[in-house]
């Protein structure tokens, strides 16, 4: 592998699906039981904060029952080999990348295991339940503690850092993404503006934006991601 290679990896729901976490489109999944407008928008939170807290409390509890899969572990192994020349930008709110060992990571849509206070903007880790009665450990006020999640209609986190990394990468890889959720769906176009930057889609099937990638490989993330990492590091077997 080229010692000057700088890689940005975008991961979506498809990489965590094999660990047992629902995607938006899973038949019988969580989004068939809940209306997105009720639990994943600022307006939904204003209308019924108790319902929103109940939803995320359930998701937080369930997250503890699943484990990282081979795709998460492969990306952690890649980071160990190339260090700060890799950045993972994830649309996922789970902690499976971290549990697999990844540290160079941006959660652009927030984190399920963190909450924040609307009164004082303090953010902290939370693995238990929260409610409208939860007291912020910073300002000691009730009623302002909410999931640290970017809901529909809100601005994703750390966008300046993400754009800077894409502008300076030599390879952009999208794993397990649908290609229709912006701004993440536009990252490949930004990467293509860099002379010499490669683009690769690793997905179960072609995404909506598949034609924008120079190279594509399809199959379960737990198979295609480790195979790609092995090839990149020269550790695969014939």
């Amino acid at each position: 592998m080229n010692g000057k290679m700088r890689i940005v990896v975008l991961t979506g729901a498809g990489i965590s699906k094999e660990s047992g976490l629902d995607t938006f489109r899973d038949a019988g999944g969580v989004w068939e039981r809940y209306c997105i407008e009720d639990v994943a928008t600022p307006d939904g939170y204003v209308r019924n904060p108790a319902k929103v807290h109940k939803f995320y409390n359930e998701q937080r509890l369930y997250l503890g029952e699943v484990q990282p899969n081979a795709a998460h572990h492969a990306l952690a192994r890649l980071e160990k080999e190339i260090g700060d020349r890799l950045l993972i930008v994830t649309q996922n709110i789970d902690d499976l990348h971290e549990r697999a060992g990844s540290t160079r990571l941006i959660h652009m849509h927030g984190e399920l295991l963190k909450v924040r206070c609307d009164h004082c903007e303090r953010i902290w880790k939370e693995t238990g339940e929260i409610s409208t009665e939860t007291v912020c450990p910073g300002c000691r006020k009730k009623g302002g503690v909410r999931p640290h999640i970017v809901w529909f209609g809100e601005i994703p986190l750390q966008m300046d850092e993400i754009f800077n990394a894409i502008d300076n990468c030599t390879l952009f890889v999208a794993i397990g993404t649908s290609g229709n959720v912006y701004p993440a769906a536009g990252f490949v176009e930004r990467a293509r503006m860099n002379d010499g930057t490669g683009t690769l889609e690793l997905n179960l099937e072609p995404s909506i934006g598949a034609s924008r990638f120079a190279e594509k490989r399809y199959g379960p993330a737990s198979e295609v991601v480790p195979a790609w990492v092995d090839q990149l590091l020269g550790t695969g077997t014939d």
Side-chain angles (χ1 to χ4, degrees), residues 170-183:
T170 60
L171 176 63
F172 174 79
V173 184
I175 301 173
T177 63
S178 64
N180 65 354
V181 178
Y182 283 83

Side-chain angles (χ1 to χ4, degrees), residues 35-188:
C35 177
I36 291 174
E37 288 76 13
D38 289 342
V39 297
T41 66
D43 287 344
Y45 181 63
V46 171
R47 286 195 305 270
N48 194 341
K51 183 174 185 177
V52 174
H53 284 309
K54 180 177 184 293
F55 172 77
Y56 288 100
N57 288 340
E58 290 176 357
Q59 300 308 303
R60 208 174 291 119
L61 179 64
Y62 180 63
L63 181 57
E65 299 177 4
V66 302
Q67 299 297 325
N69 62 57
H72 296 104
H73 288 292
L75 292 176
R77 178 161 56 90
L78 179 59
E79 182 187 309
K80 288 180 181 178
E81 292 295 327
I82 70 173
D84 61 8
R85 290 188 288 126
L86 171 70
L87 175 67
I88 298 172
V89 178
T90 186
Q91 297 171 273
N92 301 333
I93 60 174
D94 61 65
D95 67 339
L96 297 181
H97 281 301
E98 288 92 336
R99 281 197 266 158
S102 293
T103 61
R104 296 269 306 152
L105 184 66
I106 291 176
H107 281 272
M108 63 179 293
H109 291 160
E111 300 177 59
L112 184 58
L113 297 184
K114 288 185 179 179
V115 297
R116 71 174 183 262
C117 177
D118 281 339
H119 296 310
C120 68
E121 300 185 352
R122 178 169 178 155
I123 300 170
W124 67 96
K125 185 172 182 178
E126 179 57 70
T127 59
E129 295 188 353
I130 62 170
S131 72
T132 55
E133 295 300 306
T134 299
V135 176
C136 171
C139 66
R140 308 306 300 175
K141 294 181 180 179
K142 293 182 181 180
V145 179
R146 58 159 279 184
H148 184 50
I149 305 295
V150 176
W151 289 323
F152 288 96
E154 295 182 324
I155 299 173
L157 307 175
Q158 297 179 256
M159 292 302 297
D160 287 345
E161 289 180 57
I162 294 169
F163 285 144
N164 182 65
I166 294 172
D167 291 343
N168 290 282
C169 74
T170 60
L171 176 63
F172 174 79
V173 184
I175 301 173
T177 63
S178 64
N180 65 354
V181 178
Y182 283 83
F187 290 171
V188 62

Side-chain angles (χ1 to χ4, degrees), residues 21-44:
L21 296 179
D22 291 328
T23 71
F24 280 108
R25 295 161 186 80
D26 280 336
V30 65
W31 297 109
E32 286 192 358
R33 302 192 302 273
Y34 284 91
C35 177
I36 291 174
E37 288 76 13
D38 289 342
V39 297
T41 66
D43 287 344

